[in-house]
Amino acid sequence: MIDEITFIEQLQDTLTKEKAFKKLVANYKERLYWHIRKIVISHDDADDVLQNTFIKIFRNIDNFKQESKLFSWMYRIATNEAISFINKRARESNLDI
């Protein structure tokens, strides 16, 4: 794989963003899926949260400041999405957590 700085530049360039994002999904979907799955437990829920995670990454990649590694940033987004999902599910069930 190309170096991370070049890859991030491709993700942030409107001309190469789509192709680079497909590569990002291919490279990281499994690792992020299993991280999310440990939090939300259900396969179907993990798939939903993973999709939301990649949507958020796609929409916000231009704001990535490179103060951390790309995977660390995506991992944090995945964690926040999973926690938000659990909290929403608990509110819908009127449960306190």
Side-chain angles (χ1 to χ4, degrees):
M1 187 169 162
I2 56 177
D3 73 274
E4 187 166 291
I5 293 170
T6 304
F7 187 56
I8 293 165
E9 287 171 355
Q10 290 175 354
L11 285 164
Q12 293 176 334
D13 183 340
T14 55
L15 298 175
T16 56
K17 183 175 187 171
E18 213 168 299
K19 183 177 178 182
F21 190 75
K22 287 179 184 178
K23 185 185 285 189
L24 177 118
V25 170
N27 289 337
Y28 294 107
K29 68 181 173 188
E30 190 171 341
R31 286 173 69 189
L32 288 175
Y33 168 84
W34 285 109
H35 169 65
I36 292 165
R37 177 82 185 262
K38 289 177 192 173
I39 298 170
V40 300
I41 309 303
S42 163
H43 165 71
D44 291 335
D45 292 343
D47 275 346
D48 291 344
V49 173
L50 181 63
Q51 184 175 12
N52 291 340
T53 298
F54 279 121
I55 289 168
K56 193 164 269 190
I57 290 167
F58 186 83
R59 289 181 178 163
N60 293 294
I61 193 66
D62 293 334
N63 299 325
F64 178 59
K65 305 284 190 261
Q66 300 183 40
E67 294 169 353
S68 63
K69 292 283 189 185
L70 179 61
F71 183 73
S72 298
W73 181 72
M74 294 188 309
Y75 185 91
R76 190 74 223 150
I77 292 171
T79 302
N80 290 340
E81 286 295 307
I83 291 169
S84 294
F85 176 84
I86 289 172
N87 288 338
K88 180 181 176 200
R89 182 68 54 91
R91 279 191 307 274
E92 290 170 354
S93 301
N94 293 321
L95 298 175
D96 290 326
I97 46 176

